[in-house]
Amino acid sequence: MGFAIYAFVQRSTAIVEHQARAASEALNEAQNKLIETKTRAKAESDALNAKLSDALKQTEEARKQAEASNERATKEAEKAERDAKLFISAMQAQAAVQRTANVQLEKAAALQRGTDAKQDSATIDREKRYLEAAKKSVQDLSADAARKSAQAFAIMGAVRIISTAQLGRSDLFDVSAGSQVAASSPARNPTDMFSGMQGSAERAAVFADRQPVDSTHWIEWRTKGDVTVKSVAIFAAHDQIRFRRAFSSFKLYAKKQNKWVESAIQSVATLWRQLC
């Protein structure tokens, strides 16, 4: 009887321990699953946060690019407007010179008529004052028009404006560098065209007068040796008296394989002619 009771008690204890052990294992398994779930949830949350951060960065970058594009577009529009105003101003200045030049011609003709008619000295003096005032106005307006046209020309031709003072002995065509004038149409001081520091009292090459309209003057020169020309500057002026000496275009040729080939500078000369 005693052994039976002992066995029953041991069996009951074993069942309880087994149940406790099973409950403990189930609890551990539940805890592990909970940890697993938390870990997976954290990983998913981190991935979502990373994607969100990338999306925010892309959005910010797109915003910056859009702002930069808008700024460039605004600057280009402002530049286009400034350039348009510059060209319009140049054309208006040239028109003002032409109108004033016509007035000068009218005043000169009036003075000539008065002189021919032997009008009184007071009338002649008055006409002379009118003519001098017109000449002064033409000179002032011409200087203003030249400045504005040069600026417009520089923008259209993408070139840099320089003055004669900036020409030095580095000029490939300067006679001091060994250049020589080979031939030319009738002209005075042809070498002055290639001498920035020396030359005649006129400091300019002056081609012959009394030539038909649209006559072509020319000058041929050679450098000391073969050279590479990157840019060309020409400085010229019309006569101040009725523009009797003037020019409308300029062409540059280079001799290659014993043939004269027109340089691309013609396109620039054409632009200058259109502006002036």
Side-chain angles (χ1 to χ4, degrees):
M1 188 70 176
F3 284 113
I5 293 172
Y6 177 76
F8 178 77
V9 170
Q10 289 296 323
R11 182 174 177 277
S12 298
T13 302
I15 291 172
V16 171
E17 289 178 352
H18 176 72
Q19 290 177 344
R21 189 163 51 251
S24 176
E25 291 175 354
L27 179 60
N28 289 336
E29 184 178 355
Q31 288 177 341
N32 289 336
K33 288 184 178 179
L34 179 60
I35 292 172
E36 218 177 282
T37 301
K38 286 182 178 180
T39 302
R40 187 169 57 251
K42 185 177 182 305
E44 292 176 353
S45 176
D46 290 343
L48 288 174
N49 287 333
K51 290 181 179 179
L52 178 60
S53 179
D54 290 341
L56 291 175
K57 287 181 180 179
Q58 292 176 1
T59 302
E60 180 65 15
E61 185 65 25
R63 184 186 64 80
K64 289 181 179 179
Q65 291 179 356
E67 289 179 351
S69 297
N70 289 335
E71 185 177 357
R72 285 195 300 271
T74 300
K75 288 182 179 179
E76 289 175 359
E78 291 175 350
K79 182 179 181 301
E81 184 178 358
R82 288 196 303 270
D83 293 349
K85 288 181 179 179
L86 188 59
F87 282 109
I88 292 173
S89 177
M91 289 186 289
Q92 290 174 339
Q94 291 293 338
V97 171
Q98 188 59 52
R99 289 194 299 269
T100 309
N102 291 336
V103 172
Q104 178 182 336
L105 292 175
E106 292 173 359
K107 298 302 181 184
L111 176 59
Q112 188 63 49
R113 288 194 300 270
T115 302
D116 293 343
K118 297 181 179 180
Q119 293 180 336
D120 59 275
S121 59
T123 301
I124 296 298
D125 289 342
R126 184 178 66 250
E127 294 297 336
K128 286 182 179 179
R129 289 195 301 272
Y130 289 160
L131 179 58
E132 290 302 317
K135 287 181 179 179
K136 180 65 167 55
S137 181
V138 168
Q139 291 176 353
D140 293 342
L141 291 174
S142 295
D144 179 64
R147 177 181 58 81
K148 292 178 179 178
S149 296
Q151 292 173 346
F153 167 70
I155 291 175
M156 181 178 287
V159 299
R160 183 168 57 92
I161 301 174
I162 63 174
S163 66
T164 53
Q166 294 173 274
L167 292 179
R169 295 308 177 95
S170 61
D171 182 3
L172 295 175
F173 298 156
D174 198 292
V175 293
S176 64
S179 293
Q180 294 181 342
V181 174
S184 71
S185 58
R188 297 197 311 271
N189 321 317
T191 57
D192 279 19
M193 189 181 295
F194 308 100
S195 178
M197 305 299 293
Q198 300 173 355
S200 66
E202 290 177 291
R203 300 294 299 277
V206 182
F207 289 101
D209 293 330
R210 298 181 177 85
Q211 301 296 312
V213 176
D214 293 331
S215 292
T216 299
H217 291 289
W218 57 273
I219 187 165
E220 178 184 343
W221 74 97
R222 63 172 59 95
T223 56
K224 189 174 182 180
D226 292 341
V227 295
T228 299
V229 179
K230 295 183 178 180
S231 62
V232 174
I234 179 171
F235 298 89
H238 303 315
D239 257 4
Q240 294 182 356
I241 304 175
R242 300 192 184 182
F243 299 137
R244 285 175 177 168
R245 296 190 182 104
F247 76 101
S248 61
S249 65
F250 165 72
K251 294 182 181 181
L252 178 67
Y253 291 85
K255 182 170 277 190
K256 296 181 179 179
Q257 299 177 347
N258 292 325
K259 292 183 179 180
W260 290 106
V261 180
E262 186 174 350
S263 169
I265 195 68
Q266 168 60 16
S267 61
V268 178
T270 301
L271 295 178
W272 179 258
R273 181 179 60 189
Q274 290 174 349
L275 285 173
C276 297

